[in-house]
Amino acid sequence: DGGITQSPKYLFRKEGQNVTLSCEQNLNHDAMYWYRQDPGQGLRLIYYSQIVNDFQKGDIAEGYSVSREKKESFPLTVTSAQKNPTAFYLCASSILGREQYFGPGTRLTVL
Amino acid sequence: GEDVEQSLFLSVREGDSSVINCTYTDSSSTYLYWYKQEPGAGLQLLTYIFSNMDMKQDQRLTVLLNKKDKHLSLRIADTQTGDSAIYFCAVPNTGGFKTIFGAGTRLFVKA
């Protein structure tokens, strides 16, 4: 089955820790995206990548970092510089310029 | 800048029609999208419409596009309790490399 997966489903972070969220797709899509969703709010774009080894900052990139070493993978690191990281994180992929397909999400909670 | 606006809540009775409205500012998109999000899950592509169409019907779903007024709507006929979810309007920006999502309309269906 083709699709996009995220892991873990739930993640807990202590103050001052960096954590990495995984996103993998086997749809052969060039573009991948990370969004943050806060309760009762829409999606805010963190980072996106149109091709391997290249990525751009979205609207709220501060405190986050990404890499795109493989076409299938686009991991997101939430660093200790992100002051309010508790949120639901969504990864998506697409053919350039077309509809995005989303993973099931990772809920990150800071303890 | 680019913006997509939706009303936040809609409540209907089971069996009635639901109409969710969206207005946008960037009118250069080839496609416009509607996504559905159930609690704790990722977004699921519901339907889309080409920018050169006025209407698209897909079973219980009807999408209407008014390009002059930059207005998009989603009509769900015979709304069921299983339709309770958040519905997002999504419009790619100029160039299509990013998609702007509305804040989402939370649909409540009363039995």
Side-chain angles (χ1 to χ4, degrees):
Chain A
D1 280 337
I4 181 164
T5 59
Q6 293 183 240
S7 62
K9 186 169 176 65
Y10 299 97
L11 186 57
F12 299 91
R13 192 193 92 167
K14 293 182 181 178
E15 296 277 355
Q17 275 186 336
N18 292 354
V19 292
T20 297
L21 284 60
S22 170
C23 178
E24 303 276 334
Q25 55 99 359
N26 61 3
L27 300 168
N28 200 33
H29 287 165
D30 284 311
M32 296 187 75
Y33 311 81
W34 274 106
Y35 294 92
R36 170 180 171 143
Q37 185 178 29
D38 292 284
Q41 297 190 28
L43 278 65
R44 290 187 288 171
L45 183 63
I46 304 173
Y47 269 98
Y48 65 103
S49 168
Q50 298 170 30
I51 197 167
V52 175
N53 293 322
D54 187 43
F55 48 83
Q56 287 78 40
K57 291 182 180 180
D59 302 316
I60 56 164
E62 186 175 349
Y64 299 97
S65 65
V66 293
S67 63
R68 187 84 188 276
E69 297 176 1
K70 298 187 299 181
K71 188 175 186 178
E72 302 81 19
S73 179
F74 191 40
L76 173 74
T77 297
V78 184
T79 75
S80 56
Q82 171 49 240
K83 297 307 177 190
N84 185 24
T86 295
F88 190 50
Y89 290 87
L90 288 161
C91 179
S93 70
S94 76
I95 296 170
L96 285 174
R98 292 298 305 269
E99 65 274 13
Q100 295 180 21
Y101 291 86
F102 284 80
T106 292
R107 187 167 300 280
L108 173 63
T109 303
V110 173
L111 300 174
Chain B
E2 303 133 347
D3 195 20
V4 175
E5 292 193 355
Q6 303 177 234
S7 54
L8 294 182
F9 298 99
L10 176 64
S11 179
V12 300
R13 292 194 179 277
E14 190 174 25
D16 288 349
S17 292
S18 307
V19 179
I20 301 171
N21 294 302
C22 168
T23 57
Y24 57 94
T25 56
D26 188 333
S27 59
S28 62
S29 309
T30 303
Y31 304 91
L32 298 94
Y33 303 102
W34 284 102
Y35 288 83
K36 176 183 180 181
Q37 184 182 33
E38 298 187 354
L43 274 68
Q44 170 193 353
L45 179 67
L46 201 56
T47 187
Y48 64 90
I49 187 168
F50 289 103
S51 60
N52 62 358
M53 297 171 68
D54 297 325
M55 184 180 83
K56 177 183 178 182
Q57 189 151 359
D58 183 1
Q59 298 183 332
R60 292 191 298 122
L61 305 177
T62 302
V63 180
L64 295 178
L65 175 60
N66 182 329
K67 287 192 72 175
K68 175 176 172 290
D69 293 339
K70 299 181 183 177
H71 183 267
L72 184 69
S73 68
L74 174 70
R75 177 177 180 269
I76 305 172
D78 188 25
T79 311
Q80 303 297 306
T81 54
D83 295 323
S84 293
I86 303 174
Y87 291 82
F88 291 91
C89 172
V91 180
N93 70 341
T94 302
F97 298 129
K98 290 170 59 176
T99 296
I100 311 302
F101 288 83
T105 299
R106 188 178 293 270
L107 175 64
F108 296 94
V109 182
K110 296 176 286 188

